[in-house]
Amino acid sequence: MGGRGVRSRWAPRAAALSAVVVAAAALAGCTGQVHLRPGPARPAASSDEGFPLRRGDALHAVNDINLVLPEGWRALGSDGCLAPPAAAEDLTDGVPGTQDGGAPACPPSAARLRFNVSEGDRITRKDLDAGDGWKRPNVVCPGSVGQVGSAVPSLVEQGERTSFRLVSGERVEEAAWRLECKDEAPFETRLWLVPEADVALDVAIVDPGAPPGAYDRIARSMDLSRYTP
């Protein structure tokens, strides 16, 4: 994908953020849930309500966008690839292929942050309402992932359009499509768009075995208060 380069925000606040993670983990371990509040060392929330952390959650930052990774999820590299537990375990076992330079390839079940998405009309609001709005280069039949001339799925059902506001105030518009391929089980693909920031989060092939609500928690935890397009 083109657009703005990705860089980490961990280094400038490493000590402060480590303290927050330790404290949050300790509290979450006792209560099972903790709310992160606004503050310079608390990048997971900008609103008065904050965002609820659960036991095992981790804080992560990509390109100045802060978010929460549920237990077992793993960030691959620094370009916004957030892999669910099963895919993360496969990576540990060396199953998926690698990109140039040996970096793990981003699995299709990962949630992927994308920037400057309006450039070249890669992702627009119109896609969210269209029956073929799911058509993105990474959305292919599960059985042909990574193959030359990957098989293209067909639409089964378009999901309901929804929207919500992030803790940092931006409105997120969400869409989902249920797709099918010959001789394969139907699957879902999802897209979250933040129009005013020109940022999107998408998952090509939703992992049906992922913990319920995990993808939604990642999307809803995004904090763009420090992000500059």
Side-chain angles (χ1 to χ4, degrees):
M1 302 292 290
R4 189 171 183 267
V6 177
R7 57 189 175 86
S8 172
R9 287 284 293 177
W10 284 109
R13 297 196 303 266
L17 187 53
S18 295
V20 173
V21 173
V22 170
L27 183 55
C30 295
T31 66
Q33 180 169 296
V34 60
H35 279 70
L36 293 184
R37 301 289 183 179
R42 297 174 181 175
S46 299
S47 70
D48 291 338
E49 295 79 13
F51 185 83
L53 277 182
R54 298 175 183 172
R55 183 181 293 117
D57 283 350
L59 306 184
H60 184 64
V62 181
N63 211 10
D64 289 344
I65 294 177
N66 298 288
L67 49 81
V68 169
L69 284 181
E71 182 175 13
W73 286 67
R74 177 180 168 189
L76 307 180
S78 59
D79 64 349
C81 177
L82 312 172
E89 290 176 7
D90 286 344
L91 284 167
T92 302
D93 295 335
V95 173
T98 59
Q99 299 171 335
D100 293 341
C106 190
S109 59
R112 187 74 178 264
L113 269 169
R114 303 183 186 276
F115 307 92
N116 303 317
V117 295
S118 64
E119 293 182 0
D121 289 332
R122 289 179 297 163
I123 298 176
T124 69
R125 270 192 172 122
K126 291 187 295 184
D127 295 329
L128 300 171
D129 295 313
D132 61 354
W134 57 269
K135 291 185 177 181
R136 304 184 297 282
N138 59 329
V139 182
V140 299
C141 291
S144 65
V145 170
Q147 298 178 7
V148 176
S150 299
V152 179
S154 58
L155 179 68
V156 175
E157 180 183 13
Q158 185 173 358
E160 182 181 358
R161 282 269 278 107
T162 59
S163 66
F164 57 90
R165 286 199 179 275
L166 297 173
V167 292
S168 47
E170 298 84 2
R171 178 164 292 281
V172 179
E173 300 185 27
E174 176 186 2
W177 298 264
R178 189 162 182 79
L179 308 175
E180 66 180 357
C181 300
K182 184 178 180 180
D183 300 326
E184 295 187 50
F187 66 95
E188 186 180 36
T189 185
R190 300 181 67 181
L191 175 64
W192 296 262
L193 178 65
V194 191
E196 62 191 274
D198 206 16
V199 167
L201 179 75
D202 76 303
V203 54
I205 302 173
V206 170
D207 180 359
Y215 289 102
D216 291 289
R217 291 196 69 232
I218 292 173
R220 290 177 177 272
S221 75
M222 291 192 296
D223 179 353
L224 278 68
S225 58
R226 294 176 177 84
Y227 175 70
T228 302

